[in-house]
Amino acid sequence: MRAPAKLKDVAARAGVSPAAVSRFLNGSISLPAATIERIEAAIAFFDYRPNAHARRLSLGRSDTIALVVPEIGNPFFAELAAAAERAAAAEGLGIMLFATENRLERELEYLSRLGRSDVDALLFVTNHADEDGRLAAAIGHAAQVVLLDEDVPGTGVSKVFADNVEGGRLAARALIEAGHRRLFLAGGPPALMSARERAEGFRAAAREAGLPEDSVEALAGDYTVAQGRRAAEAMLASPVGPTAVFAASDQTMLGLLEVFRARGIAVPDEVSIVTFDDVVPLAFFDPAISAIRQSIGEMGRIGVQRVIAGMKGGAAAEVIRLPIEFVPRASVAAPRDSTQAKKPTRRRP
Amino acid sequence: MRAPAKLKDVAARAGVSPAAVSRFLNGSISLPAATIERIEAAIAFFDYRPNAHARRLSLGRSDTIALVVPEIGNPFFAELAAAAERAAAAEGLGIMLFATENRLERELEYLSRLGRSDVDALLFVTNHADEDGRLAAAIGHAAQVVLLDEDVPGTGVSKVFADNVEGGRLAARALIEAGHRRLFLAGGPPALMSARERAEGFRAAAREAGLPEDSVEALAGDYTVAQGRRAAEAMLASPVGPTAVFAASDQTMLGLLEVFRARGIAVPDEVSIVTFDDVVPLAFFDPAISAIRQSIGEMGRIGVQRVIAGMKGGAAAEVIRLPIEFVPRASVAAPRDSTQAKKPTRRRP
DNA sequence: ACGGGTTAGTATACCGCTTTACTAAGATGA
DNA sequence: TCATCTTAGTAAAGCGGTATACTAACCCGT
């Protein structure tokens, strides 16, 4: 286990200068075949691999980007990480992974790694409101930060979001088309853009379908299982008796399901469900749960793309909206109590 | 947006030498309060942050470790990544994440990053057999590689595995105690240590319970949903009619469930299920699925620990077995066809 | 008044690669 | 035969820190 060979050693053995070897390796020189052969032989002889630290110091970049998310274990972020890693690897970039637990100090700390040129760029996901603007200030207008999934208002960087409004709208429409007229929205934190937009789309669709303003009852929450439980209770206690519910996230839906089951409420016979995200294996649930799916993979891919564009310089900040899709499964059916429901349309006789 | 300040600038403004500032920042010097104040003022003035590349080149390390897994989106590896990241962050280390898609070339490539001192150490998970020994050769005896979850035979590095034998045993015991006598094992790839060990434990428990050798029927597979489907078909087609099945992974279990549902086979009334891993939200399934749980978090944590020990030098390679646990839920019940089953023990009258 | 110890630092040689600008030798052309 | 061009490289200055070894000034005790 000798010390690893360095450029100098290779050069010496090939009978050329270190500069020649370096330039050869980086393709910035053209050499006669004989010399190339000698260099390659020397490289093979030493099993030479350029030292990454030296290279990075000299180049002033690391070919590494950071992905900063609230928690890695959450399947949503895991999938995001998977997509980002794939896209980055394809471009020869490495991904450093950081979890913030959604805490501001940790977010700021990871943001500061940019300043230390620890990483070249940052793919950043936060999930809480930036109350005092510190986060926005830290993000500033760095061309090397791209915001994913959730906004940090007041920042001029590139952003990639799902089309949340459309997501909310699709959910409401699916429910309304099945015949529901009293809807429940187990929504996200109103401080977050994503939650506001989804609620907005949901209500808009209700309005567009001619439902009265009070046809959608809502309870805001925090995207957790616990929120789902609370929402289920609230919904069941509601005097107007909603017959369908839109869950802000898969976690929320899990909470709903738990309470419905405990109370013996049948899905979709007694209540219909549409969830948001589609990152949990919903197809295997009983019943399989219908979902609004955002393309997380796309978000990761495009995020990496934007980040690269930013690194290459130039590219103006841009806000990108990703299309969203309704995945019909078995958790939506006509309301049982159909007194005020339109007759469900059956496609096949 | 001026060029970031460097050590030299800070030193000049504080009226000391760069060495003094460096040593001050690294705590390797003691200085009078007045000097410290000047240095700190200068640092604040410039918002100075040491350049990570320079530091790493000088120090010869990056305080970064790589986590190499087959796929990040898989909840098992996602949870592993989450735990490893947490443990690493607590020690001031960063995590670089790499997905190999279980392909040898990519594994070798990431392994080679160690040689480039791109990262200080590697947390490595593979999921395929090392047929020609190339993987083992690449891993060699580097004190900076720790193998997680699955073995690569012929390597002398530290390893952290679940107690698979005990896992298999617990699964069989749960089924047998419920009264089952004809068991089906939807196992993993026989080329993998984990699969062999689980099968071994499973059969051992059957033997220990006095069941005949042919009481467990098995079909090997590859831990996928597709495997689960195949296993279900095989099981249903079996002339001996197993009444319970042990799935090699949550994915496998998903495949089983799909087929059982399509065929109208009730769980646990007609067939009992125990799965392995417990990374999918099994508690929310209907019925909730009983599982053998390995402590993935612990695996990540301990892996990081071992890697750090290895970096500090000294620490001999070690193979660690992590305890495993049976999580009883609703998918195991007495066999309906109880002709040859013992009477199920009911705890509460 | 002098040797010795402490305090408060400094000088300098790396770490290993990249890159810009330059040159020596041979080939080409007039 | 001399000027010019091409070929095949090279020398050396960074990149921005860290660490080792050293020194200058001051204080103390005798």
Side-chain angles (χ1 to χ4, degrees):
Chain A
M1 196 132 154
R2 265 203 326 302
K6 41 186 87 165
L7 196 56
K8 205 168 54 175
D9 304 321
V10 173
R13 182 160 232 270
V16 293
S17 72
V21 180
S22 172
R23 298 186 56 194
F24 166 69
L25 286 173
N26 295 300
S28 70
I29 195 176
S30 75
L31 293 173
T35 309
I36 292 182
E37 250 166 56
R38 282 189 346 262
I39 294 181
E40 279 177 340
I43 288 176
F45 177 80
F46 288 118
D47 186 24
Y48 169 74
R49 264 109 91 199
N51 178 299
H53 301 323
R55 180 155 215 283
R56 301 214 252 245
L57 173 58
S58 191
L59 255 23
R61 63 182 153 82
S62 48
D63 293 321
T64 299
I65 66 189
L67 174 61
V68 179
V69 298
E71 36 161 353
I72 301 159
N74 181 316
F76 181 89
F77 300 119
E79 214 177 291
L80 185 64
E85 194 276 341
R86 201 172 313 124
E91 302 282 344
L93 300 177
I95 286 264
M96 294 209 57
L97 192 58
F98 300 106
T100 62
E101 296 168 357
N102 222 6
R103 280 167 38 207
L104 180 62
E105 323 85 69
R106 308 201 70 197
E107 294 180 330
L108 294 176
E109 194 215 312
Y110 294 131
L111 244 6
S112 90
R113 288 182 180 242
L114 249 187
R116 280 181 285 163
S117 66
D118 204 339
V119 294
D120 296 345
L122 231 51
L123 242 28
F124 196 90
V125 188
T126 182
N127 231 320
H128 63 81
D130 178 27
E131 273 137 18
D132 52 8
R134 281 204 282 161
L135 195 51
I139 294 174
H141 296 253
Q144 309 87 325
V145 177
V146 170
L147 254 32
L148 261 30
D149 184 50
E150 186 63 68
D151 196 18
V152 176
T155 49
V157 302
S158 280
K159 307 171 181 189
V160 187
F161 303 138
D163 185 347
N164 293 300
V165 174
E166 182 64 11
R169 188 176 266 125
L170 287 173
R173 272 219 279 260
L175 263 10
I176 292 168
E177 271 168 23
H180 297 271
R181 332 247 62 189
R182 285 160 292 145
L183 311 175
F184 195 89
L185 169 61
L192 295 190
M193 180 200 72
S194 63
R196 283 197 310 274
E197 291 182 344
R198 288 171 203 177
E200 181 192 327
F202 195 78
R203 287 179 199 281
R207 232 179 359 257
E208 286 156 17
L211 300 198
E213 270 308 313
D214 63 356
S215 63
V216 4
E217 193 169 348
L219 183 72
D222 54 1
Y223 290 138
T224 62
V225 174
Q227 173 210 354
R229 294 194 194 103
R230 280 194 301 277
E233 305 286 2
M235 176 174 167
L236 295 177
S238 162
V240 310
T243 58
V245 53
F246 173 37
S249 78
D250 285 346
Q251 303 299 310
T252 303
M253 182 277 296
L254 255 18
L256 291 170
L257 223 47
E258 187 182 309
V259 171
F260 291 157
R261 250 171 219 159
R263 304 289 200 83
I265 306 215
V267 177
D269 296 353
E270 293 172 77
V271 16
S272 288
I273 300 183
V274 172
T275 182
F276 201 99
D277 282 346
D278 199 24
V279 290
V280 156
L282 301 175
F284 297 96
F285 278 51
D286 189 21
I289 308 293
S290 302
I292 303 295
R293 163 149 69 199
Q294 45 176 330
S295 179
I296 306 178
E298 200 65 8
M299 190 174 286
R301 247 191 319 285
I302 298 201
V304 168
Q305 233 173 61
R306 295 299 318 165
V307 130
I308 291 175
M311 281 161 42
K312 289 199 179 135
E318 199 176 330
V319 177
I320 296 168
R321 287 287 177 171
L322 261 24
I324 222 159
E325 170 192 13
F326 176 62
V327 183
R329 285 196 273 251
S331 64
V332 176
R336 172 193 271 174
D337 158 22
S338 296
T339 43
Q340 44 178 315
K342 346 182 214 188
K343 226 186 289 159
T345 3
R346 303 199 54 191
R347 290 291 152 99
R348 307 201 196 138
Chain B
M1 196 131 154
R2 266 201 328 300
K6 38 187 91 164
L7 197 57
K8 205 168 54 173
D9 304 321
V10 172
R13 182 161 234 270
V16 293
S17 73
V21 180
S22 173
R23 298 188 54 192
F24 165 68
L25 286 172
N26 295 299
S28 71
I29 196 177
S30 74
L31 293 174
T35 309
I36 291 182
E37 252 166 54
R38 274 176 8 249
I39 294 181
E40 279 176 341
I43 288 176
F45 178 80
F46 289 116
D47 185 23
Y48 170 74
R49 264 109 91 197
N51 178 299
H53 301 324
R55 180 158 215 281
R56 302 213 252 244
L57 173 58
S58 190
L59 255 23
R61 61 181 155 86
S62 49
D63 293 322
T64 299
I65 66 188
L67 174 61
V68 179
V69 298
E71 36 163 352
I72 301 159
N74 181 316
F76 180 90
F77 300 119
E79 214 176 290
L80 185 63
E85 194 276 341
R86 200 173 312 125
E91 302 282 343
L93 300 177
I95 287 265
M96 293 208 59
L97 191 58
F98 300 107
T100 62
E101 296 168 356
N102 222 7
R103 281 166 39 206
L104 178 63
E105 321 86 70
R106 308 202 72 199
E107 293 179 331
L108 294 176
E109 194 216 313
Y110 294 131
L111 244 7
S112 91
R113 288 182 181 244
L114 250 188
R116 280 181 284 162
S117 67
D118 204 342
V119 295
D120 296 344
L122 232 50
L123 243 29
F124 196 90
V125 187
T126 183
N127 232 318
H128 64 82
D130 178 27
E131 272 135 20
D132 52 7
R134 281 205 283 162
L135 195 52
I139 294 174
H141 297 252
Q144 309 87 326
V145 177
V146 171
L147 254 31
L148 261 31
D149 184 50
E150 186 63 68
D151 196 18
V152 176
T155 50
V157 303
S158 280
K159 307 173 181 188
V160 187
F161 303 138
D163 185 346
N164 292 300
V165 174
E166 182 64 11
R169 188 176 266 124
L170 286 173
R173 272 220 279 259
L175 264 11
I176 292 168
E177 271 168 23
H180 297 272
R181 331 247 63 189
R182 284 161 292 145
L183 311 176
F184 195 89
L185 169 61
L192 295 190
M193 179 200 73
S194 62
R196 284 197 310 273
E197 291 182 345
R198 288 171 203 177
E200 180 192 328
F202 194 79
R203 288 179 199 282
R207 229 174 8 252
E208 285 156 18
L211 301 199
E213 270 308 311
D214 62 357
S215 64
V216 4
E217 193 170 348
L219 183 72
D222 54 3
Y223 289 140
T224 62
V225 174
Q227 173 209 354
R229 295 194 194 103
R230 279 193 301 276
E233 304 289 0
M235 176 176 168
L236 295 176
S238 161
V240 310
T243 59
V245 53
F246 173 38
S249 77
D250 285 346
Q251 303 299 310
T252 302
M253 181 277 295
L254 256 19
L256 291 171
L257 223 48
E258 189 182 309
V259 171
F260 290 157
R261 251 173 217 159
R263 305 289 198 86
I265 305 214
V267 177
D269 295 352
E270 294 172 77
V271 16
S272 288
I273 300 183
V274 172
T275 182
F276 201 99
D277 281 345
D278 199 25
V279 289
V280 155
L282 301 175
F284 296 96
F285 277 51
D286 187 23
I289 308 292
S290 302
I292 304 296
R293 163 148 69 202
Q294 44 176 330
S295 179
I296 305 178
E298 199 65 9
M299 192 176 283
R301 247 191 318 285
I302 298 199
V304 168
Q305 232 173 64
R306 293 301 316 167
V307 130
I308 291 174
M311 281 161 42
K312 290 200 179 133
E318 197 175 331
V319 176
I320 296 168
R321 287 288 177 170
L322 262 22
I324 224 161
E325 171 192 11
F326 176 63
V327 182
R329 286 196 272 252
S331 63
V332 176
R336 173 194 270 175
D337 157 24
S338 295
T339 43
Q340 45 178 312
K342 349 183 213 190
K343 227 189 286 160
T345 3
R346 302 199 54 189
R347 292 292 150 97
R348 306 204 196 134

